[in-house]
Amino acid sequence: MHAPMLILLLSSIAAADAAGIGVTYGRRATSLPPPADVARFLARGTVLDRVRLLNADPLALRAFAGMGLAVDVTVPNALVPRVADSVAFARQWVRDSVAPHAAAGTNVSRILVGRDVISQANRTLLLCLVPAMQNLHAALLATSLHRQIKVSAAHSLGVLAVSTPPSAARFREGYDAAVVKPLLAFLRATGAPFMVNAYPFYGLTSDAGLDFALFRVGAEGVTDAGTGLVYTNALDAQLDAVHSAMERLGFGDVDVVVAETGWPWAGEDWEVGAGADHAGDYNRNAIRHLGSGVGTPLMPNRTFEVSIFSLFDENLKPGPMSEHHFGLFHADMTPIYDAGILTAPESVGPVSSKVTPAAPAPVPDAGAADSGGRHWCVPTPAADAAVLQENIDFVCGGGMDCGPIRPGGRCYEPDTVQAHAAYAMNLYFRSNGQHAFDCDFGRTGVVTTVDPSFGSCNFT
């Protein structure tokens, strides 16, 4: 990288520093470096000042003690109902999972409740969100940590019923009064931000939208007919849609934080835009833009805190190839591509601009006589229950109909993670072409020719 370009990049990064640049530290992978090595690398080798954990793993929390980075921890979805039901359990969770690490020098800055709860089809979990946040805040008050640690939650754009144009955005019907307004009132009262996962990559349907998604100069602008404002990039439009929906409910003063954004450096051949060059462009430009002070058309003259997803590739996640390849770094902590966050960007070596797998082949027919040539996806016998719950969250949080495994549904009984995962994983498998990779789920799924349907629960 030439010196003038490096100076410009680092000055842009410095401007973003006021709002904060973070990274999501997911660990669903078979080979990752020890958390202590990761913490030292992030503190000494990058310009990042915060990290988001997708759980409250004590090993990771201990690793960040004394490193100076702000750390967000997450209450898993499976625990949210218990935290909501009992302030005593919330206090115990804070005493066990947060307070000791804060006392030992880990800069815990937020507790995030669940992951993408509002967008999921689980109404029971949904209605537990705000009570859980309230109980955790009370627990922080009891331990005098409430000034240091805020309570919030991260949401995908699935919380919106309408997102375009930004001025017309609104939250999903039925959720605005029951959940979103109490949530926003809680955030306003406690000074916590509304956190959104924004991914322009997922809005792409053809190469024609790449310039708009990647902040490229000369990209054709999009005019919001409701306001007359012109949008020159997709991320601004997504953030303003969230702001408009909040303002519609009377909470336009609540701060907005980009909890996750990113771009996959590899993907299936049908995934538009996946590639290392595009990933580098997007992440560098997003960091530069959000930290520039320009703001968005509806939220001008401000910076935004942003966290890039994700620190490493996660090969145990379900979904297509792109889901496994959002990483910024290899397991040896060498960069996959230049994202503009190293203290010495010149050290970045060349990488492939695109990894294109062979075209996926349908699952071969095993020819079982009782299956009629059909196939189903079920969990492997040794699959971990926590990973299966994440599979359920992934499928049911992606807009698929998981009503049959909700309370009262025809497949709710037996009420076990394994049974519910079998239904959800098979639903995903059958809805996405029934290819082998559609049943991989991080090596926790297996294709079978034996129909797993039982009673009134039909898997076909």
Side-chain angles (χ1 to χ4, degrees):
M1 182 178 290
H2 298 299
M5 184 180 298
L6 174 58
I7 292 170
L8 175 61
L9 175 61
L10 292 181
S11 64
S12 297
I13 295 295
D17 224 19
I21 312 169
V23 68
T24 301
Y25 180 14
R27 298 174 65 191
R28 295 190 64 180
T30 51
S31 179
L32 290 177
D37 292 349
V38 172
R40 282 193 296 271
F41 168 68
L42 292 180
R44 300 172 186 174
T46 75
V47 298
L48 302 173
D49 59 11
R50 64 186 312 117
V51 62
R52 176 185 172 197
L53 304 181
L54 300 180
N55 52 29
D57 178 30
L59 187 63
L61 281 165
R62 283 196 296 270
F64 285 97
M67 293 296 173
L69 285 85
V71 180
D72 293 354
V73 300
T74 305
V75 179
N77 284 1
L79 286 184
V80 172
R82 295 186 66 187
V83 174
D85 289 343
S86 170
V87 69
F89 181 84
R91 289 179 177 177
Q92 188 64 50
W93 190 87
V94 168
R95 283 197 297 266
D96 293 344
S97 301
V98 177
H101 303 290
T106 300
N107 181 21
V108 182
S109 64
R110 293 191 192 105
I111 297 174
L112 306 184
V113 181
R115 191 169 187 203
D116 199 17
V117 170
I118 294 181
S119 299
Q120 300 199 28
N122 188 337
R123 187 165 179 81
T124 301
L125 182 64
L126 176 69
L127 294 176
C128 288
L129 178 60
V130 176
M133 296 173 74
Q134 293 168 334
N135 284 349
L136 286 167
H137 181 68
L140 292 171
L141 280 168
T143 53
S144 300
L145 289 171
H146 60 289
R147 291 184 179 87
Q148 170 188 341
I149 303 173
K150 301 298 182 182
V151 179
S152 189
H155 314 280
S156 76
L157 290 178
V159 300
L160 301 177
V162 175
S163 59
T164 56
S167 63
R170 64 177 186 275
F171 290 104
R172 293 164 64 178
E173 289 184 24
Y175 292 177
D176 48 5
V179 179
V180 178
K181 287 188 75 171
L183 167 67
L184 292 171
F186 171 85
L187 297 177
R188 174 190 280 166
T190 59
F194 185 89
M195 304 181 69
V196 61
N197 303 333
Y199 288 91
F201 170 76
Y202 289 122
L204 286 173
T205 57
S206 72
D207 288 339
L210 270 174
D211 289 349
F212 188 64
L214 295 173
F215 301 84
R216 287 175 174 164
V217 175
E220 185 176 352
V222 177
T223 302
D224 184 329
T227 60
L229 296 172
V230 177
Y231 288 85
T232 58
N233 68 82
L235 185 58
D236 276 0
Q238 291 181 347
L239 295 181
D240 275 0
V242 172
H243 175 73
S244 290
M246 293 166 56
E247 194 167 52
R248 194 177 300 276
L249 296 180
F251 292 92
D253 58 319
V254 173
D255 191 26
V256 176
V257 160
V258 182
E260 286 182 18
T261 194
W263 199 281
W265 65 270
E268 312 289 354
D269 55 359
W270 46 264
E271 292 185 286
V272 177
D277 288 344
H278 293 157
D281 286 347
Y282 177 78
N283 286 323
R284 288 192 302 271
N285 289 336
I287 291 171
R288 182 185 297 117
H289 176 68
L290 295 177
S292 68
V294 172
T296 68
L298 286 179
M299 294 179 285
N301 306 316
R302 59 155 294 180
T303 58
F304 290 87
E305 178 190 315
V306 57
S307 286
I308 302 300
F309 185 91
S310 175
L311 186 56
F312 300 111
D313 282 349
E314 296 181 88
N315 65 314
L316 297 182
K317 291 180 66 176
M321 187 178 178
S322 63
E323 286 290 324
H324 308 163
H325 291 91
F326 273 85
L328 298 171
F329 297 97
H330 296 291
D332 63 359
M333 288 177 284
T334 57
I336 296 173
Y337 57 85
D338 178 11
I341 59 173
L342 289 173
T343 52
E346 305 97 314
S347 65
V348 178
V351 294
S352 170
S353 64
K354 170 83 175 177
V355 177
T356 303
V363 177
D365 181 8
D370 61 347
S371 71
R374 292 177 297 172
H375 299 84
W376 294 265
C377 177
V378 296
T380 58
D384 181 81
V387 177
L388 292 182
Q389 182 61 54
E390 292 185 5
N391 293 347
I392 296 170
D393 294 343
F394 170 80
V395 174
C396 299
M400 293 194 177
D401 180 14
C402 290
I405 57 174
R406 304 303 181 204
R410 58 184 172 80
C411 297
Y412 181 69
E413 297 293 346
D415 181 16
T416 66
V417 172
Q418 287 76 11
H420 291 178
Y423 181 90
M425 292 163 67
N426 186 66
L427 177 64
Y428 183 89
F429 173 69
R430 298 184 71 82
S431 300
N432 286 278
Q434 301 186 51
H435 300 104
F437 63 80
D438 293 320
C439 187
D440 183 71
F441 286 94
R443 304 178 189 174
T444 62
V446 62
V447 176
T448 179
T449 57
V450 178
D451 188 350
S453 301
F454 55 89
S456 61
C457 184
N458 189 338
F459 278 44
T460 58

